[in-house]
Amino acid sequence: MVSFILSALAMATAALAAVTAPMSLDQRHVARQTLSGQATYYGGNVAGGTCSFSTYTLPSGLYGTALSDSNWSDAANCGGCVAVTYGGKTITAMIVDECPGCGTNHLDLFPNAFTELAPASKGIIDVNWDYVPCPVVGNLQIHMKSGVSQYYFNAQVVNAHRRTNTLETSIDQGKTWKATTRTTYNFFLNSSGLGATSAWIRVTSHTGTQVIVKDVPMTSDAIVTATANYA
């Protein structure tokens, strides 16, 4: 009797698996949960924003936003994108700055983003938003901070399709990897440096997809474009 029940359960499980459509990467790793909060607008700041995107220009059609410090997560959401909905309209904006003292789930949009949703005279609106993949063009880039050398490593990821979770380095062509520490200003730091003039860099997105960028020079302000972006 027990064996019959187990056999029936196994058949039911197999049947369910057969009719269940495979889940996409976003469905598996980013269970979308709509967040509710308020949105305001300010002057907008990419180059001088808290995400330190000093070399990056937002692609055409992609807006910018600051994110509440309540959602900041030590800059982990920098470079991520959000779909913001109000009054039946939706825009997509990249997180490039922090909004200190703003309420939970608050977005401080660039002016052109806000006015796509509502007249500027409203000043503040109640919105719903989700984290979404960024509709960027081309591959992600590694941007080395000013002052980088073989004795000081500090790099950030720009133009990424997804939020970056970790950055690792290798000076032996990928045989071994060394972790770095995320900073609150959106760079990944190894203050002792790598002891080499170039390195491979492996970055991992919040969904677990990875990109390896080979032969990145340990040179101040260097920018290296990868051969891929996060899947």
Side-chain angles (χ1 to χ4, degrees):
M1 183 65 177
V2 172
S3 61
F4 174 78
I5 293 173
L6 292 175
S7 177
L9 286 172
M11 292 176 64
T13 301
L16 179 62
V19 299
T20 302
M23 298 181 74
S24 70
L25 186 68
D26 282 316
Q27 288 172 322
R28 291 198 311 270
H29 296 285
V30 193
R32 297 275 294 278
Q33 180 181 3
T34 300
L35 301 172
S36 298
Q38 293 185 316
T40 49
Y41 66 93
Y42 77 121
N45 198 349
V46 178
T50 317
C51 290
S52 307
F53 288 140
S54 60
T55 62
Y56 189 62
T57 301
L58 290 173
S60 176
L62 181 60
Y63 299 98
T65 187
L67 178 66
S68 171
D69 53 0
S70 300
N71 302 77
W72 187 243
S73 189
D74 289 334
N77 290 317
C78 277
C81 285
V82 293
V84 190
T85 300
Y86 173 79
K89 299 178 181 179
T90 300
I91 58 98
T92 301
M94 180 180 286
I95 298 164
V96 297
D97 204 357
E98 185 179 13
C99 187
C102 293
T104 301
N105 300 336
H106 189 106
L107 299 172
D108 204 14
L109 300 167
F110 283 20
N112 60 346
F114 189 94
T115 55
E116 280 293 311
L117 298 173
S121 58
K122 275 191 170 291
I124 185 167
I125 54 178
D126 295 320
V127 296
N128 295 319
W129 58 274
D130 297 291
Y131 291 106
V132 295
C134 285
V136 295
V137 176
N139 297 324
L140 63 79
Q141 296 179 326
I142 302 297
H143 168 218
M144 308 303 291
K145 200 173 189 302
S146 298
V148 163
S149 70
Q150 60 182 309
Y151 308 110
Y152 173 70
F153 179 90
N154 212 359
Q156 71 174 180
V157 182
V158 296
N159 202 55
H161 184 52
R162 301 180 185 276
R163 289 167 282 161
T164 296
N165 189 41
T166 62
L167 184 151
E168 302 164 282
T169 61
S170 174
I171 57 174
D172 54 14
Q173 291 73 52
K175 295 175 183 176
T176 60
W177 295 93
K178 182 176 293 187
T180 59
T181 301
R182 180 192 292 278
T183 68
T184 57
Y185 53 89
N186 192 36
F187 275 80
F188 291 86
L189 174 68
N190 179 337
S191 58
S192 299
L194 308 182
T197 57
S198 68
W200 287 17
I201 292 178
R202 180 170 70 185
V203 290
T204 303
S205 76
H206 65 105
T207 64
T209 56
Q210 293 184 326
V211 173
I212 294 176
V213 189
K214 298 181 179 180
D215 304 320
V216 178
M218 298 298 101
T219 305
S220 179
D221 300 314
I223 297 174
V224 179
T225 301
T227 58
N229 211 318
Y230 293 132

